[in-house]
């Protein structure tokens, strides 16, 4: 009945808050105007679902290079929605599950969501959920097909659902006939300009102004380009590694240059 | 015996009505003359099956691009038939089923249908029922073979069955030797002209005349073409998204242009 | 013992008669001289098996395009044999069987046949029995191998067996090393000439002479050829569809032209 | 112990005699000198194994086109050996066996053979035993590997084993690294000359001399060649089919010409 | 509870010490300055993880040719960390495990690690853990996906984890989208110069100075190059083999030349 | 405990002696100086392992064409070692084993070996142990991976292990990344010169000098070359076959020429 359903939903939300918090440990640094634009897009879709009478299911794909901040941004949007049911679904929680168990778990999550009038589900790393491996290629057909179906399945009457999914593999999702099933997409870019990088370094408080300039200068020297092209996640880890080194700016420059080169390869 | 069989059939029909209703939430907007033509074709096949003495099984494939309205039209035809047994079969209802379970479920649905003198079965998204994935390609051989057989299996004496199936993958069905087993086919097109699009926008009541013209104009500007080429489903969702934006016509134009571009890619 | 064996055989025959009747609902229309030739061939092989002392197992493959009448002709030949044991084997009866269950069922059917001195087994749609799908290609190796073996297995002493198999896939059977195991083959052609088509239309009694000529004329106009090239099955269904239309000859012409075009594609 | 072992072996031999007899229903017609040569080769290998002190396991592959007489000749050689243990292994006896069951059955047969001092095992249609299908290609790895191992496995002390295997697929066996494991090979040819064919026809007693000449003449006319190129099995069946026809020589010529053409395709 | 958890962790560490010792039987010979550089890198990452407040999980890939010393160096770094929980994971310990059992074992090891505040896990031969075989190629998707997830999974609050993984297949890991998930990489080179080789030979104490020069000279003669290019592991085994031969330097030169040639092939 | 462990080891050794004897039925004929060289190499590796303090595990691959004597030579070396634990592992002993059972059996054999201070394991036909079939190619990944791991796994303290493996597929082992895991390799050649062949024939005592010359001469005539190129195993069997023939040298020449031709194909 309805009461016990509500009871079941509450703790799920509590658990999700902790889960979501873990994805936001690095905060959301406002290093470029497009960060605000992305969050504004999220509010738009949240409002659309909130409004009674409109389409009862809406799905949004956040895609971009590794470490660009997709998961953190999706977590932020989910929290900002204020919807009573929020669920964070991640491949981490399904290590060692059989294909069938994964499908059943996904099905259960959607059925749980339908117990609340307004729900958000974040599906993190969707391509890893169906075990995508580029060699072969290999993937779990049954999990993929379940995701396709669940993305388009009409909720029961008076239930409204918003789905955020993150992926580094937009083109794979397209080839698998999965991508066009999303109602909308949001592109999350790398940190690309030296100004953006400087903003982040300053925000970290780890570098003296002078060291900051030296680090950025050395990166340009090593990579031979003023374009940066690396995810914010690697930048934040790189700062920490550099802190262990006596020559902090030099080490930071080397670590970043290596990451940029690996990205390009 | 016959009475208990009838009892079993009744509730199935009830359930189907609700199922079918859910597929018709956006109604059937008469945005072009071919909508009437399609429904007329449906009536023709319904009449053929209804007539005693003619071929006791008839199958019709509705094919067309994503979101063009195949499911809604098939649901409408099924309801319009007035046949005592109507069943809507969808991949949604078989999430987490094994191949064998799917085959058994399909077999049961056909056997149920034979309990009524006149029956309609709608098989929605037939290619997803056999787990078609274009990479590989992959699909469930046993479900595919079961569908082939069931499509051509003669009903018992004095039982007459009409099958509507929907698909976005006509050529896949052809390659799999499934398509030619249908007795007839109905092509469901995209919304292709600006007049058709205008009809739908007007019907929605969301746009002032002036905004409507601006929206259509901007789409032509962005896409560089007067041809539209998008399913009615995306149009209806696009209107709702646009409503959240202060600049409704501008947002609608951007959303549609993106959808048209993705379709062409 | 022998008596109980006979008892087991009798009902099998009864069931077969009904099964075979269902395949002959459209009768055998004598629309060309080769229909008689084909039935004469059937009698020849029946006589060969009937004669004691000759080879105790004989297998005949009926092959031809979809809907050309293979199943009806094989059913006719089986009935005409007058053999005490007749069994009709069809993929329809094995929906949802595992590979192993299919093999066991086939094995049982052959063992049942050996309980009678003279037996006929009709294997309908043999390529679907081993789940042939052209993409891949895929097929059930174990069912295929079982069929190969059963086709060549010597019956016990004083037992004589005739096998008719139907297929649309002669070349597939050849590639799979199955075809050459048949002792003889019978080709079943499409309805190819306008005279043959006229014969069938007249036999149906549905068309006035004038309409008949108009229909055939329009087909030639649409297809741009005097050659017909379609199976009798599509013709019989097409007549029924046309009957629902006010413009019967016109609709018949359109339906046939479409079928002919699909065949050629 | 030894006595019970002997008891187990006896009935096996009895069964084998019946099995072997069934393969020799058409006799061994001496239609060419190479028939004697082949049987002489068989005696040579039998003697080699019989001689104490020599190599305790010897395997011989009989290969040739379909229906050329491989099975009959292997059966004849096995019978002529006079060895106390003879076993005929055929895919027929393993219909519906799993791979594992086949391997276990093969293993058992070899262990049974080792209970007798002198044994012959005939492995008929060896490529079908491991489910060889040319499309793919597919085959049972575990049965193949078991056969490889069993062909080379040293018998226990004072046990001597002779193996005859038949196959139409010498080149497949070579590619699978199976063929070179045989100690010797015997090629069994088609009936290739008109003289050989005439010998067989005369032996059948079905044709008057004049009809015989006419039949052979017509074959040459239809095929456009004096070379025959067909297995003796098809010839013997062809004679029987022809007997049902009023024009016996004509029908025989047509049936043979068709068989020859199919062989060449 | 916490106490019993600690108890579980202790013995694990004890066992690891023995495990790690076994990988260091040949010691760490300081044959080049880059050996120190590598160990210094290890200390840097250890310090980064040790520092509270920084990123709680850090993974480092040691890659290089076979036998170059990857495992020994990873073991050394793990011991040098002095972390209270150290676990050495090797394919050796999972012989005969099913894929599912491997995944569960890996999952357990990570959960065990989280019982300690500071932990090191060494994953040896990571590509063999997921059964990589270059022909096919083949690999265990489920183990690979589990490793991907575990490498990036955030530890619980106040838990910090350092991962060292060794591999000879850096490019394979890249193609499988596994490599970029490591936070850092360390390249372990072959012994490449004659000076390095001389250092190792001298350190072994097995060669008189004169023999040492002769051995190196002969290697250059046979291989036609002053470059060495072989892992330290083969060098240490080669010294032992050579000791058995009267002509120790000659034998050593032959063995090394062979190893170098095989490496190049 | 140690005593019961010893008890378990003893009978294993006894069984091995019989097993090894069976592989040496044809003796070791000293037909060329390289036979001594090969056995000398074996003694070298045996001594290396025997010496305490050196590397505790050593693996040697014997590779060469079919029938060249690999198994006999490996058996000889194992016996000559005089080590207290000797185990002969052959695909023969694992007919009908599942992959998992093979892996467990291999694991058990290695664990048994570690119960003795000094042990030899002979792995015969290693590529057949992991079910290598060149078409596909196919092989058992789990057995292959288990062999890779076991070949490199460090024995427990104070345990020393020598492994001889035989194979006809050196290049396959290389492609599978298995070959480079062996510490050493020994090439076993065919009988290649007429002098070598003459030595073997003389040793057999079956030929008069004159017949011997005639046989060798005829081989040269038939093959058109003075090079022989056949394994000693085929030569020994060929002598026995020839003995059955009245024209012994002629038959021997024909059998050998055929074997040489098959080898070259
Ligand atoms: N503006 C920002 N946008 C996103 N993340 C940010 C931003 N500022 C700081 N961060 C921090 O950067 C990190 C981004 O990592 P996150 O895991 O979200 O990236 P990702 O794109 O999901 O990576 P992956 O491709 O590995 O899944 C987080 O720790 C987040 O708190
Ligand atoms: N003339 C029309 N024809 C079809 N659908 C219409 C029409 N007018 C309005 N609609 C509405 O448009 C939507 C069409 O969506 P529907 O799911 O039927 O499309 P579809 O082609 O089946 O999509 P998919 O390819 O995703 O299966 C429905 O909500 C339907 O009510
Ligand atoms: N001369 C004829 N030969 C065969 N069938 C005929 C003939 N005249 C009428 N018919 C009718 O035509 C239909 C032929 O259909 P049938 O199922 O036998 O074709 P088919 O070739 O087996 O089709 P499919 O390729 O789908 O298996 C039957 O209803 C049969 O009664
Ligand atoms: N000289 C002969 N050699 C072989 N078979 C003969 C000979 N003379 C008559 N026969 C008869 O010819 C038939 C040969 O058929 P058999 O099954 O042995 O051929 P096969 O080559 O094994 O065929 P398949 O390729 O189908 O296995 C048998 O009935 C046999 O009795
Ligand atoms: N400087 C050194 N670096 C690494 N190993 C050394 C060094 N000096 C001596 N050794 C010894 O060399 C051997 C290196 O073998 P190790 O197993 O670590 O190599 P590996 O690269 O892991 O080999 P594999 O590719 O087979 O996994 C060890 O016995 C180690 O004790
Ligand atoms: N010098 C020799 N070297 C090896 N084998 C010899 C020699 N002299 C005689 N023999 C005999 O030759 C035979 C060689 O056969 P063996 O099975 O060892 O060959 P193989 O190379 O292992 O064959 P396969 O490739 O089939 O495994 C044995 O019977 C052995 O006793
Ligand atoms: Mg992420
Ligand atoms: Mg639809
Ligand atoms: Mg049919
Ligand atoms: Mg045969
Ligand atoms: Mg290592
Ligand atoms: Mg061998």
């Amino acid at each position: 009945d309805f009461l016990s359903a509500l009871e079941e939903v509450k703790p799920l939300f509590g658990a999700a808050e902790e889960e979501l918090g873990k994805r936001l440990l690095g905060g959301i640094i406002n290093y470029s105007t497009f960060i605000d634009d992305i969050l504004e897009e999220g509010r738009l879709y949240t409002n659309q679902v909130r409004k009674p009478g409109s389409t009862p299911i809406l799905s949004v794909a956040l895609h971009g290079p590794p470490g660009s901040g997709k998961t953190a941004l999706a977590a932020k949007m989910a929290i900002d929605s204020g919807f009573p049911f929020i669920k964070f679904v991640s491949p981490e929680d399904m290590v060692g599950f059989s294909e069938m168990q994964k499908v059943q778990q996904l099905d259960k999550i959607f059925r749980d969501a339908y117990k609340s009038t307004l729900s958000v589900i974040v599906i993190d790393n969707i391509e890893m959920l169906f075990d995508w491996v580029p060699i072969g290629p290999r993937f779990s057909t049954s999990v993929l097909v379940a995701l396709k179906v669940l993305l388009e399945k009409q909720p029961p009457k008076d239930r409204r659902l918003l789905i955020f999914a993150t992926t580094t593999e937009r083109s794979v999702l397209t080839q698998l006939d999965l991508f066009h099933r999303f109602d909308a997409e949001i592109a999350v870019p790398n940190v690309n300009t030296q100004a953006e990088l400087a903003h982040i370094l300053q925000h970290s408080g780890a570098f003296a102004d002078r060291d900051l300039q030296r680090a950025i200068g050395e990166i340009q020297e090593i990579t031979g380009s003023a374009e940066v092209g690396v995810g914010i996640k690697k930048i934040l880890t790189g700062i920490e590694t550099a802190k262990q080194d006596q020559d902090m700016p030099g080490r930071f420059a080397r670590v970043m240059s290596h990451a940029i080169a690996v990205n390009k390869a």
Side-chain angles (χ1 to χ4, degrees), chain A residues 156-190:
Chain A
K157 229 177 141 236
D158 295 328
R159 295 290 180 258
R160 325 185 58 69
L161 175 62
L162 176 60
I163 300 159
F164 291 116
T166 75
T167 184
T168 52
E169 303 291 342
R170 186 187 189 276
S171 74
V172 166
L173 267 50
T174 301
Q175 287 170 59
L176 289 169
D177 274 359
L178 177 58
F179 197 76
H180 79 263
R181 290 169 208 267
F182 286 96
D183 295 298
E185 61 171 300
I186 295 176
V188 182
N190 268 332

Side-chain angles (χ1 to χ4, degrees), chain A residues 102-248:
Chain A
K102 283 190 186 178
V103 169
Q104 279 162 356
Q105 178 72 2
L106 286 170
D107 194 45
K108 186 188 177 319
I109 287 166
F110 274 75
R111 278 187 286 107
D112 282 350
Y114 296 145
K115 289 177 187 155
S116 163
T117 317
L118 286 170
S119 301
V120 185
I121 295 175
V122 180
I123 305 176
D124 200 32
N125 271 335
I126 196 167
E127 75 275 10
M128 283 187 59
L129 215 52
F130 54 82
D131 294 351
W132 172 261
V133 182
I135 290 186
R138 298 200 190 164
F139 53 94
S140 157
T141 304
S142 51
V143 176
L144 172 62
V145 169
L147 284 165
K148 283 185 180 181
V149 165
L150 291 171
L151 269 186
E152 298 196 324
K153 184 174 173 175
Q154 294 294 318
K157 229 177 141 236
D158 295 328
R159 295 290 180 258
R160 325 185 58 69
L161 175 62
L162 176 60
I163 300 159
F164 291 116
T166 75
T167 184
T168 52
E169 303 291 342
R170 186 187 189 276
S171 74
V172 166
L173 267 50
T174 301
Q175 287 170 59
L176 289 169
D177 274 359
L178 177 58
F179 197 76
H180 79 263
R181 290 169 208 267
F182 286 96
D183 295 298
E185 61 171 300
I186 295 176
V188 182
N190 268 332
V191 174
N192 280 322
T193 67
Q194 293 185 338
E196 289 168 4
L197 176 56
H199 184 125
I200 295 162
L201 291 181
Q202 222 135 19
H203 184 275
S204 77
F207 288 82
D209 263 24
R210 201 194 150 118
D211 284 355
L212 195 159
Q213 289 315 326
R214 212 193 99 208
I216 292 180
E218 278 186 25
I219 292 171
Q220 175 162 351
E221 224 166 276
I222 303 176
T223 63
S225 158
E227 210 185 340
V228 180
V230 77
I232 185 163
K233 206 162 146 185
K234 284 260 175 207
I235 295 174
L236 298 182
T237 315
I239 293 173
E240 283 178 18
T241 301
K243 281 186 193 165
Q244 311 307 317
D245 202 310
Q246 284 175 310
D247 173 16
M248 192 166 81

